[in-house]
Structures are given as structure tokens and as C-alpha cells.
Amino acid sequence: MKKIIFINSVYGSGSTGKIVKNLSYISQKNNFDCYSIYGREKKEVGIKEKYIGNTLYFYLHIFFTRLFDKHGRCSSFVTKKIIKYIESINPDIIHLHNIHGYYLNYEMLFKYLKSTNVPVIWTFHDCWPYTGHCAYYSYLKCDKWKVDGCKKCISKKSYPSCYLFSNSKNNYILKKNIFSNVNKLTIVTPSEWLKKEVSESFFSKYPCYVINNGIDLNVFFPKNAKKRFDKKVILGVANVWEPRKGLQDFYKLSDLLPEDYLIVLIGLSEKQITQLNSNMCGIKRTANQIELAELYSEALCFVNPTYEDNFPTTNLESLACGTPVITYNTGGSPEAVDENTGFVVEQGSVEKIYDCIKIIDDNGKDFYKDNCVLRAKSCYNQEDNYMKYVKLYNEVLS
């Protein structure tokens, strides 16, 4: 039985942690022996899920990132443990996910990877691998990563935040040198948009495949639960409502909506909830994914005014629950939507969002419901999409 090691910042939580957990499960079912390494959010899991983290080194990593913009260049002690664990397993494939997140020294890890002949698959969940600092850059329309990196990053306070000395130019050069010489590297992106961006980066010489994120259709499907609200619900969902997620545009939208509409936003902080307009409702977190699916199902439509994104799973969850999506033409977000399941509008076009809401309301949600569910089933079934990884594993081993 061939062995795979997954490396990610978290396991079982957050979007990437859930992907790793589910991908490991599907791979196990298809005759792979799977192990996972993660460096944050320690929890009780199986013996093949190895937490390799250290609180002291985690905060030191944050310190050097905040002051000197050296994210991913600390945690040497922890990285030695990671390498030692990899050697003890002797895997046939090493599958990287997020290697940023204050837990790993990428220079040490990649020097080790170059010394082995083990195939490496790296799933890019954002743009961090090929920039000098940021995980996303489209909000500020920066394209310095296409040339030679940024001498002084214009978004150094964005994740991974730096408040003192920008080191983006050196970070870019180091990444280019470190990441460009792995013997057997295959890149996977969740969207066509990110694949195109990768083709313009220093990773262009490596094979790159698109495998869309998937969702659990046993959880996300149209629910018939009792309605919570007596108005037409416009739903928005984010893990963290930072500026790039478009919270400011929901305020503008609320000023346009008639009295029979209500904007419901999930994922807000307590402070953000206190600042909402009267026709807006904030929910910090749902109790579980079933409750989230019920809210998707109740909504007239799902609005995703994101200014930076790769391939948001919230769009997929909404479709699976039979709810049409309205999103900005941002990153890979429009790829989830076709003419039968929603609308794509240009960034900042709040009036166009309102026009699309009216079209959906006039047509009736049922006009879109079946097509939304069908698109989710045919394109974003979690197991189907993870099987594409299994196929890729077999190909790189052949």
C-alpha cells in the first residue's frame, strides 16, 4: 500500500483543514495509507494525524513576521521534527497544502524535499507561494510578483501582517530560488483563475492541474426547516468579515433594499453586529453545518461581494441548497456560477447586485432551485472531486 503524507497548518477545521481530513479519508478508501502533519490547533485525532507544533515557536514566528516580514522563515525546531517524522514514514507522495501559518520553515523543508526523490504535490489555496508577502493581491491590483517582487510591499499589513520592516523583495527572491528546483513537483489549483496566475509566476515550468473544491452533499441540500425570518433573506457568509470580503458593500446594499428584504450575515464579530443597519441581521457562528444549510435554503439568494478570492466554497454550499448566487467577478468566484444558477457583476457594482436580486425575486427562487442543485451535484460533489486527486496520485507514481 502506497503512503501519502499531507502537510497543512490545521487538520479538520477551517476550509483547508476539512479538505485535508476528507481527502485523507477518500484516499484511504482507495488503497492509500495516509498520514497528516499539522502545526496549529491541537486536537484529539487518530494516530496517523500528527500534531507537530510548539506554542513558544509559534509566537516567536508571529513576532518575526510582525517586525521583520519573515513569515515562513522561523520555526526551525518544529521543522526538524516534521522532517524527522516524514523520514520515519518514508512516504511515496508528499502532499503540501498551506505551508504558511506560523508553524513551519519553508526553506528547511524544501531543502529536504530537494534531497529526496519523492514526488511532491502542492495544492495552492491562495497566492502566497509565489508572492513576496501577501496571500492575495487583487484588492490593491498589485502585479509586482510577475516581475521581480516588491521592493516595498503596499499591503504588508495584510496577512501575514508586518508592521515594521518590509522584506518582500528578499522573500520573493528566496521563494523563487527555494521553490523552483524540486525534482518532482506537481501543482494543483482549485480554480482556473489561479492556474492562470500560476502560469505567469516562477512556478510556470511545473505541471499544474485544476481540481475544484468539493462539498458534502449529504449535509448541503435544500432543507425544509421552519423559517427564522418573516422577510426575504439576502444571505452573506464569511469566516472572517475583513474588508476584502465586501462587508462595506452590504451596508450600501441595505440602503437600496425595500422593507420586505433582510440582509443576514454569518461570521460577524460582536463589534460588527452592533454596527449593522436596521434591515441587517448578524450571526457570529452557526451551531453546525446543518444549521448553515438551513439558512442557505431559506435565503432568496446568496450574495458574495468578495474582492479577493480563489474558489470560495460558500458559493458551492449555496448552490447545493438550491439558492442562486450573485458574486463579483473576482478570482475564481465566478467559475461556480452559470446563467441558470446566478449572476456575476463587476466589483463594487452594488446597484447591479440589487438589480439581480430583483430579477431573482421576480422569477421566483424555484426558477433557479433545480438548476442550482444539479450544478452542485454534477460539478462539486466532494467525493467525485477528491477522486481526481486519487487519479493524480496514481499518475505521479506510474
Side-chain angles (χ1 to χ4, degrees):
M1 186 179 290
K2 300 295 185 179
K3 297 177 183 178
I4 303 174
I5 279 188
F6 300 98
I7 301 178
N8 191 47
S9 53
V10 294
Y11 180 85
S13 61
S15 59
T16 62
K18 291 173 184 174
I19 287 170
V20 170
K21 181 179 179 179
N22 294 328
L23 182 53
S24 177
Y25 173 73
I26 297 297
S27 301
Q28 287 277 172
K29 286 174 59 178
N30 287 273
N31 301 315
F32 284 95
D33 191 13
C34 297
Y35 299 80
S36 296
I37 299 173
Y38 67 105
R40 295 177 57 181
E41 300 178 16
K42 184 178 182 181
K43 60 191 66 179
E44 294 296 326
V45 288
I47 60 173
K48 292 185 177 181
E49 290 76 50
K50 183 76 170 178
Y51 169 76
I52 301 181
N54 182 289
T55 302
L56 173 61
Y57 284 94
F58 170 72
Y59 284 109
L60 284 173
H61 203 142
I62 291 177
F63 175 79
F64 278 96
T65 299
R66 296 288 186 272
L67 267 62
F68 306 112
D69 196 14
K70 292 191 175 183
H71 187 70
R73 297 171 64 182
C74 305
S75 302
S76 300
F77 173 76
V78 175
T79 308
K80 288 178 182 178
K81 291 173 64 177
I82 291 173
I83 292 171
K84 186 175 181 180
Y85 184 69
I86 294 173
E87 289 177 331
S88 72
I89 299 301
N90 190 24
D92 297 282
I93 294 175
I94 298 172
H95 190 163
L96 306 178
H97 289 266
N98 278 349
I99 64 170
H100 56 75
Y102 311 101
Y103 78 104
L104 182 150
N105 184 303
Y106 66 77
E107 185 173 8
M108 287 180 62
L109 177 65
F110 269 77
K111 282 182 179 178
Y112 166 73
L113 294 177
K114 290 176 187 179
S115 71
T116 73
N117 203 36
V118 179
V120 177
I121 295 174
W122 192 356
T123 298
F124 287 6
H125 296 285
D126 53 41
C127 310
W128 180 86
Y130 57 84
T131 71
H133 172 84
C134 53
Y136 291 100
Y137 42 74
S138 52
Y139 187 55
L140 294 176
K141 297 179 172 58
C142 175
D143 61 358
K144 298 290 182 63
W145 56 271
K146 293 182 181 180
V147 189
D148 57 357
C150 305
K151 291 182 179 179
K152 187 175 182 181
C153 181
I154 60 175
S155 61
K156 70 176 185 177
K157 292 185 180 179
S158 66
Y159 172 85
S161 304
C162 172
Y163 297 105
L164 197 55
F165 302 105
S166 175
N167 196 46
S168 57
K169 179 73 172 182
N170 290 333
N171 289 338
Y172 178 87
I173 293 171
L174 180 63
K175 285 182 180 180
K176 184 176 182 179
N177 291 335
I178 291 295
F179 296 155
S180 295
N181 297 299
V182 180
N183 295 325
K184 298 179 180 179
L185 176 61
T186 301
I187 296 168
V188 175
T189 65
S191 66
E192 293 288 348
W193 168 79
L194 188 53
K195 179 181 179 180
K196 180 179 179 298
E197 300 293 281
V198 169
S199 72
E200 298 181 45
S201 76
F202 53 73
F203 284 101
S204 60
K205 68 179 181 181
Y206 293 111
C208 182
Y209 300 92
V210 176
I211 300 179
N212 294 148
N213 296 330
I215 55 170
D216 188 348
L217 297 181
N218 293 314
V219 174
F220 292 100
F221 60 88
K223 309 284 187 181
N224 294 315
K226 181 180 179 181
K227 289 191 174 183
R228 292 190 181 196
F229 307 101
D230 58 1
K231 294 186 177 183
K232 301 171 185 176
V233 173
I234 311 302
L235 185 65
V237 179
N239 190 39
V240 179
W241 281 100
E242 53 193 330
R244 71 184 183 90
K245 289 296 184 179
L247 177 59
Q248 67 278 5
D249 288 0
F250 274 111
Y251 283 104
K252 297 175 184 178
L253 179 62
S254 73
D255 292 334
L256 300 176
L257 293 173
E259 292 183 357
D260 56 338
Y261 290 87
L262 177 69
I263 295 174
V264 177
L265 301 178
I266 300 172
L268 294 173
S269 67
E270 289 185 4
K271 181 179 179 181
Q272 287 172 327
I273 290 174
T274 64
Q275 298 171 340
L276 296 178
N277 294 339
S278 59
N279 61 345
M280 303 172 75
C281 173
I283 300 172
K284 287 182 66 176
R285 291 286 182 272
T286 55
N288 48 52
Q289 288 189 317
I290 293 174
E291 182 185 3
L292 178 59
E294 290 173 352
L295 288 165
Y296 277 122
S297 300
E298 181 175 350
L300 171 69
C301 62
F302 174 69
V303 174
N304 188 0
T306 180
Y307 283 82
E308 288 183 331
D309 240 314
N310 180 1
F311 192 73
T313 54
T314 50
N315 292 354
L316 317 183
E317 293 167 352
S318 179
L319 294 177
C321 293
T323 302
V325 174
I326 303 170
T327 184
Y328 282 159
N329 188 12
T330 299
S333 190
E335 294 174 31
V337 182
D338 64 13
E339 65 275 10
N340 300 311
T341 58
F343 298 89
V344 177
V345 302
E346 292 306 310
Q347 290 181 356
S349 302
V350 178
E351 292 81 5
K352 290 288 182 63
I353 292 178
Y354 174 68
D355 292 341
C356 294
I357 291 171
K358 291 298 294 179
I359 292 172
I360 292 171
D361 197 9
D362 290 343
N363 288 333
K365 181 179 174 179
D366 286 344
F367 180 81
Y368 304 91
K369 183 176 179 179
D370 289 345
N371 285 324
C372 289
V373 173
L374 179 62
R375 183 165 177 80
K377 286 182 177 179
S378 60
C379 300
Y380 308 121
N381 184 329
Q382 177 176 276
E383 187 154 352
D384 290 345
N385 285 9
Y386 292 153
M387 282 300 297
K388 295 176 183 177
Y389 274 109
V390 173
K391 180 181 178 183
L392 180 60
Y393 298 151
N394 287 316
E395 287 177 356
V396 300
L397 290 172
S398 61

